[in-house]
Amino acid sequence: MTVSKDNVARVGEKAAKDGFPRIVIIIILAEFCERFSYSGMKAFLTLYLRSKLDYSDERATEIYHVFSTFVYLFPILGGILADNYLGKFKTILYMMFIYAAGNLLVAVTAIPFLEIPKRLYTVIGLFLITLGTGGIKPCVTAFGGDQFILPDQEKQLALYFSILYFNLCTGSLIAKTVSPILRSEIHCFGDKDCYSLAFGAPGLVVFISIVIFVSARKSYVMKTPEGDMVIRFLKCISLGVKNKIFGGKREDTHWLDTTETKYEKRFIREVKKTLSILMLFMALPMFWALLDQMGSRWTLQATKMDGRLGFITIKPDQLQVFSPICILIFIPLSQKYIYPFLTSRSLLTNPLHKLTLGGVLAALAFVLSGLVEIYIKTTYPVLPEPGFSQLRIYNGNPCSISIQNDQQNIMYTIPSLSHFTNKQMNVKNTTEVRFRFDGSCIETKDEIFSLEDNMAISFFISGNNIERFKENVDKSKSGLPIVRFLLSDNVQPKNITLFNEKRNEVEILLGPGVGTQTEVFNAEYSIRVGDTIVSSGIELNNGGVYNLIMDKVGDKYETNVITITQPNSITMAWLLPQFLIISVAEVLFAVTGNEFAFKESPESMKAVMSAAWLLTEAAGNVIIIIVTRVFTNYKQETQSFIYTGLMCISILLFHVMSSGYKFGPLEEQVGKKERSNSEVKYHQVKEAEECFYR
């Protein structure tokens, strides 16, 4: 492997002066920007797909996990590109531009008034992001390591990986906190949120990372690519399979031994050892299928809950912040106290036990998720059903009116500014229903109402006029409150506004008659005529659907807020136990899995094992896509229990497969000191990569 002599001299000179190559700080800063961008965008991606592109929960979940699948597939291509053709620096640089282009495309597509195929351009933008991050991920950590002179700077190298790990986790933590605020607290282009800013700000940060990264290009140590072990590994297996199929029967010989004509025996033994580990890995993707739903299903679950926790309000996509916090706390605790305590009592005596326990805890987390979903469903609205129509009649008059229908056996008196509801009106296709109305301030008359199957149909009575409209009684996809205004004929809607007291701004300018359903912020409101407050203390909370009736008698305005769908009332605190359990499971599973793969794989096969480990997570996202498709009509809690069952089967299979596994030393002969240094370096690389995509 060739290295620029001038660069080596510069690095050596810096090492002699302060013991730490300062150029590494540039790489750390650039990577912080890239991680901030990725983690922030991914936090609210599912909400954007559902609320702005109008995908169903199932489709939004599916697209999110297709995106995650490619994120963990493309590092294989990125590693091959860097090791065989471009080298790490050029691969990182070119992929940063692709990454930034994808982010910019998604941000522009999120501008609501642009007449462009938003779904298509969003998918293209996401694909560019996965391609870019796939090139960056396998290169940036190792590129920083290339800047050190070994073995003289082993201690500095260890410090670098510790700093990088902390840097990545910090970037992810800040992004998952700040990005949801940019999304929801700022509104632009007439919307109650600003996804274009939420996507655009991380894109700007990527451009900053490019400037930082390129600014020190003359000072980097750049090693010439020499080829990729992943390709050689796959070629060896391919040749062995081909010889097994077409080379005749050789029962006394392992099928890989047939490749001895092209590969040396030592390399073949390493391939055999690696394959034995990969067999165990086949049972592991199911864990990632559960873990990666924190950003999809669990975020959607949080949109149906109340985020107010004491003096703070948690947004649905901010809840993911809890996971990295738990991980950062649990890792040092487990290493210093928990693992030694359990090991001393003959519990968790090897890495495979930890992997098994991690899988069991993940299954437990999904049991809790299913139970919480059952609890949340008690607050879900009753939606129209086939064969029935929901009927609502609103009285916008200053007097009570009576309604009567002999066929449906309905006799009811509707007070002033109130309503009548029947959610189970039997209809077939379109059905006409006759009602008789009577009241002191209206004429007695018969009226025919047209109802539709599987629809919510409402009627607003003001004086002798009746206005028909369709009503959406479901919670908004964004989780915000929805409000509609019903103004009687006595109200002249001139300069009448719904005023947001929290933001101190006008939210809606009221129009005549039946208004449209409009999303508003979760806040306290007043109704103002000019600068005069005519009604105050109106609470509109997340998840609620409201109709506000307004009438005027003389000079006095009368208002009444009717809650059609109850707002979110179950606190998000109920989700914290499942987030805590799966975070502990992640530490047990992800970190331990990397440790096991490193210790047991041959030295020359560690690149292969790293690629295989990433592929298990890609496979986990594929499982989510398949399950979502197969069980698309199943209830959410049922899907949670299905995942629990699949995880239990998977971890049981893994336990059976691993029970006969024999731990042994690496086959290659490595000096004790060299192996120790290699292990330290590898563990720190993998710790950084574990937080890399969280």
Side-chain angles (χ1 to χ4, degrees), residues 324-513:
I325 292 175
C326 292
I327 291 172
L328 288 173
I329 293 174
F330 187 72
I331 285 178
L333 287 178
S334 62
Q335 295 293 337
K336 190 170 184 179
Y337 300 108
I338 299 175
Y339 290 162
F341 174 80
L342 295 175
T343 302
S344 65
R345 285 158 178 76
S346 300
L347 301 172
L348 300 184
T349 55
N350 66 59
L352 301 180
H353 293 164
K354 296 176 185 177
L355 289 169
T356 302
L357 179 58
V360 172
L361 290 178
L364 176 60
F366 265 71
V367 170
L368 293 182
S369 178
L371 294 176
V372 169
E373 184 65 24
I374 293 174
Y375 183 31
I376 298 174
K377 284 184 65 176
T378 60
T379 65
Y380 285 3
V382 177
L383 301 179
E385 299 176 357
F388 296 93
S389 178
Q390 292 189 3
L391 169 66
R392 291 175 176 84
I393 302 174
Y394 298 91
N395 178 17
N397 295 289
C399 66
S400 297
I401 62 174
S402 62
I403 60 173
Q404 181 177 347
N405 176 272
D406 296 332
Q407 274 187 325
Q408 299 279 347
N409 195 27
I410 294 174
M411 294 187 63
Y412 191 81
T413 298
I414 308 176
S416 174
L417 305 187
S418 187
H419 77 302
F420 162 80
T421 300
N422 188 328
K423 300 179 182 179
Q424 295 289 322
M425 296 287 290
N426 289 294
V427 298
K428 185 176 181 181
N429 297 324
T430 300
T431 301
E432 293 184 345
V433 181
R434 183 183 297 273
F435 279 92
R436 167 162 289 188
F437 295 90
D438 191 18
S440 60
C441 58
I442 65 170
E443 298 177 359
T444 301
K445 64 175 182 177
D446 291 337
E447 193 75 26
I448 295 177
F449 285 178
S450 178
L451 304 180
E452 295 180 38
D453 177 50
N454 199 28
M455 295 286 295
I457 305 297
S458 298
F459 299 86
F460 178 53
I461 303 174
S462 178
N464 293 313
N465 298 320
I466 300 177
E467 190 170 351
R468 179 183 185 272
F469 58 96
K470 294 181 180 180
E471 194 143 45
N472 175 31
V473 300
D474 200 2
K475 296 176 181 289
S476 73
K477 290 185 176 182
S478 65
L480 293 172
I482 297 176
V483 64
R484 184 202 301 271
F485 285 88
L486 306 175
L487 273 58
S488 74
D489 295 341
N490 298 324
V491 177
Q492 300 300 319
K494 183 179 180 181
N495 202 23
I496 302 180
T497 58
L498 178 69
F499 193 84
N500 189 320
E501 298 293 341
K502 181 180 178 180
R503 291 176 171 268
N504 195 33
E505 64 184 13
V506 173
E507 190 91 8
I508 299 176
L509 180 65
L510 275 61

Side-chain angles (χ1 to χ4, degrees), residues 58 297 631-632 634-643:
E58 289 72 22
R297 285 291 185 182
F631 300 101
T632 185
Y634 284 63
K635 297 178 181 179
Q636 180 58 42
E637 65 272 20
T638 304
Q639 292 192 33
S640 294
F641 296 139
I642 288 173
Y643 278 109

Side-chain angles (χ1 to χ4, degrees), residues 7 239 262 270 307-308 397 412 468 516 635:
N7 283 345
L239 179 59
K262 188 172 182 179
E270 291 172 349
R308 291 173 292 185
N397 295 289
Y412 191 81
R468 179 183 185 272
T516 59
K635 297 178 181 179

Side-chain angles (χ1 to χ4, degrees), residues 571-605:
T571 175
M572 284 186 193
W574 282 105
L575 295 178
L576 297 182
Q578 67 195 55
F579 272 88
L580 173 62
I581 291 174
I582 207 162
S583 298
V584 174
E586 182 178 357
V587 174
L588 284 165
F589 196 93
V591 177
T592 304
N594 278 318
E595 177 186 359
F596 167 75
F598 168 74
K599 287 184 176 179
E600 294 300 306
S601 63
E603 187 69 29
S604 64
M605 291 288 112

